[in-house]
């Protein structure tokens, strides 16, 4: 069956590559390329990309890896293995879910807003900025609520190992 929902590369600057689900090879990404579950994106040094999936936009910074783990009418789940992304959720319909996974944790967005995720693979930490909106982090040791205006750095996989800041 064809996918019920797809994303697309809505904008890009520099060298952006994609690997189709199950292919294992990397290709130059064209603008408006449809993306489905299992597809991966990489933005190289001095490169940027923007992906749109319904009312959600994901902006990738340079040297960022993004994979679509789930993409259908009810769920948008992406994995950020390294790098930085900004996620803007304009609308969540009843039963819809947006989740951003990193090597350290999973963050479920429970209300519309703007979020930034910085994944530092070398230092084994993930920073989440809730510029607007909020959600819940899941990981080893339980869960942690992130509220509007929070900046939280999580170290390792234990959500109890964190530092909480607020926007200046």
């Amino acid at each position: 069956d064809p996918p019920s929902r797809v994303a697309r590369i809505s904008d890009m600057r520099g060298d952006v590559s994609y690997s189709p689900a199950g292919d294992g090879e990397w290709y130059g990404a064209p603008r408006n390329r449809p993306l489905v579950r299992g597809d991966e994106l990489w933005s190289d040094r001095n490169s940027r990309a923007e992906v749109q999936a319904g009312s959600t936009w994901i902006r990738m910074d340079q040297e960022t890896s993004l994979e679509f783990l789930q993409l259908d009418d009810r769920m948008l789940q992406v994995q950020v293995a390294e790098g930085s992304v900004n996620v803007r959720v304009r609308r969540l319909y009843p039963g819809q879910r947006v989740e951003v996974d990193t090597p350290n944790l999973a963050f479920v967005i429970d209300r519309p807003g703007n979020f930034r995720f910085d994944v530092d693979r070398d230092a084994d930490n993930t920073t989440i900025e809730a510029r607007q909106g909020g959600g819940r982090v899941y990981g080893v040791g339980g869960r942690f609520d992130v509220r509007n205006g929070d900046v939280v750095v999580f170290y390792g996989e234990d959500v109890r190992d964190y530092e909480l800041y607020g926007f200046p």
Side-chain angles (χ1 to χ4, degrees):
D1 289 337
S4 59
R5 182 178 180 194
V6 297
R8 72 180 181 97
I9 301 172
S10 55
D11 194 18
M12 53 192 246
R13 304 280 188 268
D15 295 324
V16 178
S17 303
Y18 78 98
S19 178
D23 189 327
E25 297 293 322
W26 289 89
Y27 306 95
R31 181 171 287 137
N32 289 321
R33 162 86 178 142
L35 301 165
V36 296
R37 187 178 89 179
D39 286 353
E40 297 178 65
L41 288 175
W42 170 258
S43 58
D44 214 350
R45 183 179 300 255
N46 299 320
S47 300
R48 309 273 188 284
E50 179 184 74
V51 175
Q52 181 184 3
S55 64
T56 300
W57 283 265
I58 301 170
R59 292 184 178 96
M60 299 171 59
D61 199 0
Q62 65 179 340
E63 298 180 328
T64 298
S65 169
L66 182 77
E67 180 180 358
F68 287 88
L69 300 178
Q70 186 69 32
L71 181 60
D72 57 35
D73 290 334
R74 299 188 56 136
M75 178 75 152
L76 169 60
Q77 180 184 19
V78 296
Q79 164 107 20
V80 181
E82 62 184 295
S84 300
V85 297
N86 289 313
V87 177
R88 179 175 181 227
V89 179
R90 279 191 357 177
R91 186 175 324 131
L92 281 173
Y93 294 104
Q96 274 190 329
R97 186 169 156 170
V98 175
E99 181 176 317
V100 178
D101 296 343
T102 74
N104 305 68
L105 52 86
F107 181 71
V108 176
I109 297 170
D110 60 13
R111 57 190 173 276
N114 295 312
F115 307 89
R116 180 177 173 95
F117 300 85
D118 294 298
V119 178
D120 185 342
R121 227 180 185 166
D122 295 332
D124 194 26
N125 68 53
T126 298
T127 302
I128 300 173
E129 296 178 19
R131 296 174 177 169
Q132 180 185 23
R136 183 169 283 169
V137 173
Y138 295 91
V140 175
R143 61 185 189 219
F144 184 94
D145 288 330
V146 177
R147 296 180 181 91
N148 189 37
D150 285 350
V151 178
V152 188
V153 182
F154 293 94
Y155 300 96
E157 296 177 0
D158 192 336
V159 296
R160 295 171 294 191
D161 188 7
Y162 69 91
E163 291 182 272
L164 175 63
Y165 305 94
F167 282 110

